[in-house]
Amino acid sequence: SLDSQTAQSCVYYSFPSAACLLLGMLDATKHTGLRNQTLFFGYSGQKYKEMWDLYFPNTEHHEGVGIEDLAMFISPWARTLEDELFFRNTCAEVAQVLGPDLKLYVVFLTLLISSQPPHSPLVHNTSLRQLQVDLSLLLYRYLTTKYQRDEAAKQAHSL
């Protein structure tokens, strides 16, 4: 297991990738509607229901939010148009591969956060590397419940 300082550092150093995953999952769940989309991301419970009913009455049929709905992604927002297209295409690929599968999203997010970029001081952490191996295996095994082995391996590799 990881200590809390290492876990926090993982989140810090992986943030750009995790943000891309979050935006991809917004697109993957947009078709479910705004309320179901917020439930997918963990907003639930009695207080949530009360606030939703108070502040968003009669919105159960509103469409969810996708990357194209966010003002910060109105072009130009990146250094180059190629960077914008790369980012959008990456988000779209993630959305297509993961779909609105919460279990797959959580396993992949955890794997993504534990996979550190080359400049991270955690890149040689042996506990983190073991966690990555375990999560990769868990990801593959979960995908085998949805696909044949060859397709599961292909999907796992594409992620």
Side-chain angles (χ1 to χ4, degrees), residues 44-101:
S44 61
Q46 186 59 35
K47 269 294 182 210
Y48 168 79
K49 183 179 177 349
E50 291 169 11
M51 289 177 66
W52 184 274
D53 292 342
L54 178 65
Y55 295 109
F56 304 107
N58 306 315
T59 58
E60 59 271 354
H61 299 294
H62 280 158
E63 187 174 306
V65 176
I67 192 171
E68 71 279 352
D69 300 312
L70 303 174
M72 66 190 216
F73 291 109
I74 295 172
S75 192
W77 57 268
R79 282 188 254 165
T80 66
L81 180 59
E82 291 78 24
D83 287 347
E84 285 185 33
L85 294 174
F86 177 78
F87 185 83
R88 284 183 178 264
N89 290 339
T90 301
C91 289
E93 274 187 56
V94 166
Q96 190 274 325
V97 172
L98 297 180
D101 186 329

Side-chain angles (χ1 to χ4, degrees), residues 104 106-112 114-115 128-144 152-153 155-157 159:
L104 186 54
V106 169
V107 172
F108 184 68
L109 176 62
T110 309
L111 177 59
L112 183 71
S114 68
S115 302
L128 210 47
R129 285 196 177 187
Q130 185 57 52
L131 178 62
Q132 293 165 7
V133 169
D134 294 345
L135 288 168
S136 296
L137 185 56
L138 180 62
L139 179 71
Y140 168 73
R141 286 181 178 166
Y142 178 73
L143 288 171
T144 61
Q155 292 292 330
H157 182 71
L159 292 170

Side-chain angles (χ1 to χ4, degrees), residues 10-26:
C10 284
V11 172
Y12 176 81
Y13 286 108
S14 67
F15 179 74
S17 299
C20 183
L21 175 59
L22 172 68
L23 292 167
M25 294 315 293
L26 280 175

